[in-house]
Every structure is written in structure tokens, then in C-alpha cells.
Amino acid sequence: MKSPIRLIPGALLSCALLSCSPAIADINIGVVLSLTGPAASLGVPAKNAIDLLPRELAGQAIRYIILDDASDTTQAARAFRRLVDEHNVDVILGTSVTPSTLALVPIALEKQVPLLSLAASVKIVEPMDSQRRWVFKVIQNENLMVAATLAHMQKQGVKTLGFIGFADAYGDSWLAEISKQAEQAGIKLVATERYVKTDTSVTAQTLKLLGARPDAVLVAASGTPGALPQKSLRERGYRSGIYQTYGIANREFLRIAGKDAEGALFAVGPVVVASQLDAANPIRTVATDLTQRYESAYGKDSMSVFAANAWDASIVLQHALKSALNANKPGTADFRSAVRDALEGTSDVVTSQGISTMSPTDHVGYDARAAVMVQIKNGAWHYVQ
């Protein structure tokens, strides 16, 4: 039976009924999420999804120990070490944003504990070198999403593009990928602006973008801070296409952006428009199941891609855990190593956002099926055929 998760002093959440101490032979999964701070709109849906996950696998109890990093890189690193040193976890999920997750990559290697990222940047898993050997993610790399976005721009006749994104690793990754692929697509990048996710105004950046008169603008941001350029551009009369990234695929973005979100386009995982997918698409079954479960628990239209990120990580992880349990005992170095190896051997696993086949050189495993174009219409997501 699933145990309740309750708030415990020190920003620690545990699904254990009586104690956070790991029981013998239980599988202990650590989770680092941004449950407070600027990235809370990403972390809270992920926690909600984790609340729905099974608490047993192949006769073994599963315990989730969740720590809030408060959207802070230093706290994320501290949480990772605490989960390993104090709770002897077998694997860690997290955290919610790219900069903090990048700080966990070397710690995963140091501690030899598999890390399943819930943040998106390709920098988390590439280049696949010895330092990233213990890190995986079941979230699309930017190259897939950029390719889908530029293909749509080409169909719309876009020839010039403006860019505004976070001044961090997330923005860096998107800018690098859009710069490379836009040139190949015959689209010229005519303006590049950056901002910090805690900024309250992007007026100066907006004016520079408007001065460049681009056919379209791409906003590379995540969570509710992605609404700031969206609103600023519309409020100052920009009527051409605004493209966002999958980082804004939650209801909080829609609430904050309001009417100014109308018409925005972005590439995202299929789960966001699960009911609109072709019936023959194998992703639809998993995406629809998750959506129904999540919205039954949290309300109509509450589904978020950030909930899907956690759910999909669990789908892939369960396959790896089953394999590791065949000859290893949870709570040991051998078990953690077996989980790492099994994750790397993921093959044709269907998630709510794609079909993953990993390898020693690819710790994501998605292909073009993991990206669909979506447009915001009347405050809802609409699949763009």
C-alpha cells in the first residue's frame, strides 16, 4: 500500500510510515526537487507524480526520500550528499533545473550513485565521458526540439529570428543549438538577448529585439519566468510568431502569461497533447494513462510536462531496478552499479514522451517521435499537425 508523504523539519519529505531510516533490502530512491523558489512550478508537479508511483517492485518495498533544494545550486549539491551519506539511497532523481543538476554530475561520479536528471539540458549527458557515466535523463535533448521548432518556422516562412533566453546553462544550450541549426535551415539569427530568471523586467531586451524586426522570436526559459518576455513582447506590440521551449509546459505559465500567451508555439513531448495523438501511436497509451491518473488526483487540466519527466524517469528506472535485483541486494555498491548498467541497456522502453533506447554513448535514447509542436489557443495546448 502506498505510504503518505509528509513534511518533516529540515525540508525533508519521506514516504516511510514511521521512519526515514532505510529498511533492510528496501529499494531507497532519493529525490532532489525545487519545491520552493523560482523553479517551484517545475518541482511541485514532479513531486505530485512521485506521490503516485508504486511503492513495491518484484516483492521489494520502494521508499522515496525527497529533499527541497529551494531552487538553489548549493542546496541541491548538499541534498545529494545527504541522501547518499545519511540515507544510503540506491539512485537519485533530480533536480528540477539545469544549473543545479549540472552541479550534481560530478557528485554522482564521486559517490557512484546513478542520477536520473529531471532537468533538460543536453549538457547534463553530453559529451558522454567518464564524468557523466553515472548520469541519465528521459527528457529530450535540445537538438530534437530545435529541429521540430525550426521545421515549423520554415513552413511559416520565417527568415529572421530573435532570441531571448536565460543567462544560464539552459539558455546557453538552446542558444548554441539554435545558432547551429538555424543557419542550416536558412534562418538568420538577428538579435540575441539574455535575462536572469529572477528578473522582474526585460524591457531593455524587448526593445532591442523589436529594433531588429525579426520574423519570429524564440524564448528559451523554463517555468513561470518564461512568461516575462512573452508578456513584454506582446504588450509592446509584437504580433509576429513567438516560440517557447518545453520548459514552459505547465498551467502556471498559462496563468502568469494570461492572454499574452495566445498563439505561442513550442516543441514538447507528446504527453502534453496525449488525447490528440493518433490512436496507433504507442506513446499515446502511456501518456493517456499518466494524464488520467494525474488529473484524477490533482484536478482537470492539472497535467504538466514536469510531472511527466518524473513519471518517465520512473518507468525507465523500474526496468533497470528489476534487472539489478536479479543478482544484487539494494543498499550495496554492487546494486547501484547494476542499476547504472541496466539503465545504459534501456531498449525500446515506451514513456509518455517517447521511446527510449540508451547505450554507452547515449544516456537519453529518444528520437524524433519524442517531439511534437503545440500551440496555445484559448488557454489550452493544441497539437499542431
Side-chain angles (χ1 to χ4, degrees):
M1 182 176 75
K2 183 173 77 173
S3 302
I5 287 182
R6 56 194 175 88
L7 186 63
I8 297 176
L12 170 65
L13 296 158
S14 175
C15 65
L17 281 172
L18 299 176
S19 172
C20 292
S21 300
I24 296 175
D26 286 350
I27 299 168
N28 291 281
I29 299 175
V31 186
V32 183
L33 295 172
S34 300
L35 300 176
T36 55
S41 65
L42 286 65
V44 171
K47 179 193 171 295
N48 289 343
I50 290 168
D51 287 356
L52 301 177
L53 293 175
R55 261 55 183 178
E56 184 177 320
L57 177 70
Q60 302 282 155
I62 301 176
R63 297 170 183 262
Y64 291 87
I65 303 164
I66 304 176
L67 293 174
D68 175 18
D69 66 18
S71 304
D72 179 78
T73 298
T74 300
Q75 290 197 47
R78 186 180 299 124
F80 191 107
R81 293 185 180 279
R82 183 179 174 189
L83 288 167
V84 177
D85 296 340
E86 297 181 20
H87 301 282
N88 195 33
V89 296
D90 298 300
V91 61
I92 290 180
L93 309 182
T95 178
S96 304
V97 296
T98 293
S100 294
T101 306
L102 286 171
L104 304 184
V105 172
I107 309 176
L109 172 62
E110 173 195 339
K111 297 294 186 180
Q112 306 239 311
V113 174
L115 169 64
L116 268 165
S117 171
L118 300 184
S121 175
V122 66
K123 292 185 176 182
I124 295 166
V125 292
E126 290 186 9
M128 182 43 59
D129 52 19
S130 59
Q131 180 158 296
R132 293 173 173 83
R133 186 170 180 268
W134 289 81
V135 185
F136 302 81
K137 70 185 180 80
V138 196
I139 305 170
Q140 306 89 334
N141 287 338
E142 291 90 343
N143 64 324
L144 289 179
M145 314 315 270
V146 168
T149 301
L150 288 172
H152 187 274
M153 289 181 184
Q154 288 178 308
K155 290 179 182 177
Q156 300 303 306
V158 172
K159 298 297 184 184
T160 56
L161 178 66
F163 174 94
I164 179 169
F166 282 164
D168 64 12
Y170 187 81
D172 291 345
S173 293
W174 274 87
L175 180 57
E177 193 62 40
I178 199 72
S179 298
K180 179 173 66 177
Q181 291 197 39
E183 183 176 356
Q184 297 168 357
I187 297 174
K188 184 178 181 182
L189 194 60
V190 295
T192 300
E193 297 296 326
R194 308 299 286 273
Y195 73 109
V196 177
K197 65 184 64 177
T198 54
D199 285 348
T200 57
S201 172
V202 289
T203 299
Q205 296 94 321
T206 299
L207 293 175
K208 291 178 182 177
L209 287 169
L210 293 175
R213 303 175 64 87
D215 296 333
V217 172
L218 173 66
V219 180
S222 61
T224 52
L228 188 60
Q230 181 79 34
K231 292 182 66 67
S232 185
L233 284 162
R234 291 303 189 213
E235 288 169 355
R236 284 159 182 77
Y238 187 74
R239 294 293 173 259
S240 297
I242 298 179
Y243 290 79
Q244 290 270 354
T245 72
Y246 49 12
I248 56 88
N250 65 22
R251 294 285 157 181
E252 279 301 290
F253 170 84
L254 292 178
R255 182 182 66 82
I256 296 296
K259 62 180 178 59
D260 294 316
E262 187 71 12
L265 292 136
F266 60 102
V268 70
V271 66
V272 173
V273 286
S275 64
Q276 301 171 47
L277 299 175
D278 187 281
N281 188 333
I283 300 169
R284 175 177 170 147
T285 300
V286 180
T288 301
D289 175 62
L290 167 57
T291 301
Q292 291 174 347
R293 288 171 183 262
Y294 192 90
E295 295 191 351
S296 292
Y298 303 111
K300 187 178 183 300
D301 295 331
S302 60
M303 183 56 199
S304 162
V305 71
F306 304 106
N309 290 346
W311 188 266
D312 292 346
S314 176
I315 290 175
V316 170
L317 179 58
Q318 286 181 56
H319 283 265
L321 290 172
K322 286 179 183 178
S323 176
L325 283 168
N326 288 334
N328 300 277
K329 180 181 178 181
T332 66
D334 286 345
F335 184 73
R336 292 190 289 271
S337 182
V339 171
R340 195 220 73 85
D341 292 347
L343 284 168
E344 197 168 80
T346 297
S347 180
D348 292 325
V349 174
V350 182
T351 73
S352 73
Q353 301 192 76
I355 301 175
S356 178
T357 296
M358 299 188 190
S359 72
T361 58
D362 182 357
H363 281 195
V364 181
Y366 279 150
D367 57 25
R369 293 172 292 183
V372 298
M373 286 303 298
V374 170
Q375 186 169 37
I376 299 172
K377 293 182 180 179
N378 299 317
W381 319 119
H382 289 266
Y383 180 30
V384 178
Q385 300 289 343

